[in-house]
Amino acid sequence: LRRLAPLLMILACVTLDTTILPVVYGGVYTVPLTVVAVFLIGMLMGRMSGLLYGTIGGLLIDITTGTLGMMTFFFMGVGFLIGLILYNPNENLRIARRHAGRRRFQRGIWVFALYAMGEIVLFVIQYFSTAVIRPIFFVNILVRSLICAALTLLLRPVAYAILVGDKRRVPTRHREVKSF
């Protein structure tokens, strides 16, 4: 079930992003839950998983919304980069608890920076088709980046329980050595 959990999480987030959330709230401060899921998968499972599930999530968003290619590369890039920067497979639980506040702040800064960078790239692409720059656009990018960082930090414990689980409960095999 743990192998299917990232895919199910991406599918659930794409479904929420394309069907339910636009009906409930369609404002300018909407952050796709799929990108939050990609951040969490990359953070908890590594750069290749972030790249793979970012590709899947981005393609599904692009197909359902009709913007082929724009979100795919954005999700792929942030999934790979967050996995490259923040994934630590050998994280010691005792040390992690001692430095939890600093690690949480570091994760939030990286998520904020990567999401803001992607939003700025999408803004530049939009500028070449509209030729309009307004100061409110930059305020919207800042607010959406803060919301994305907050959602990622709030949902990380839940995603950790779903995707990684308790490492202490992993059964180890003991090989029996027979002597003659």
Side-chain angles (χ1 to χ4, degrees):
L1 187 61
R2 290 219 193 273
R3 292 183 185 192
L4 289 176
L7 182 63
L8 294 175
M9 185 162 59
I10 290 290
L11 290 175
C13 289
V14 168
T15 304
L16 285 172
D17 282 341
T18 57
T19 59
I20 296 171
L21 289 181
V23 173
V24 175
Y25 177 74
V28 295
Y29 299 124
T30 303
V31 175
L33 290 177
T34 310
V35 77
V36 173
V38 169
F39 275 124
L40 291 170
I41 290 170
M43 201 182 299
L44 296 172
M45 298 179 71
R47 63 180 187 255
M48 294 310 288
S49 294
L51 179 73
L52 173 69
Y53 292 108
T55 305
I56 293 169
L59 273 174
L60 289 174
I61 290 284
D62 283 339
I63 289 170
T64 55
T65 59
T67 58
L68 286 178
M70 290 185 64
M71 294 307 232
T72 302
F73 292 115
F74 173 49
F75 286 12
M76 285 170 53
V78 297
F80 180 79
L81 287 174
I82 204 76
L84 182 69
I85 295 168
L86 292 180
Y87 176 63
N88 186 6
N90 301 322
E91 189 172 349
N92 189 349
L93 292 175
R94 228 176 51 208
I95 294 173
R97 286 187 187 130
R98 189 171 60 190
H99 300 293
R102 186 174 6 161
R103 290 286 295 168
R104 202 173 297 126
F105 180 72
Q106 180 186 19
R107 287 183 193 117
I109 292 295
W110 278 111
V111 169
F112 174 82
L114 288 174
Y115 187 80
M117 182 180 65
E119 283 271 340
I120 290 171
V121 168
L122 292 175
F123 170 74
V124 169
I125 292 170
Q126 178 186 353
Y127 172 74
F128 285 118
S129 64
T130 62
V132 175
I133 295 178
R134 293 191 185 124
I136 193 69
F137 292 160
F138 298 107
V139 174
N140 293 341
I141 289 172
L142 176 69
V143 171
R144 281 193 300 261
S145 299
L146 287 172
I147 291 171
C148 181
L151 278 174
T152 304
L153 292 179
L154 287 174
L155 294 176
R156 188 181 183 280
V158 175
Y160 187 87
I162 293 170
L163 298 175
V164 178
D166 194 5
K167 288 186 177 182
R168 292 174 289 177
R169 292 186 184 178
V170 175
T172 58
R173 290 186 180 178
H174 296 286
R175 292 181 54 178
E176 183 178 332
V177 179
K178 295 182 180 181
S179 60
F180 295 100

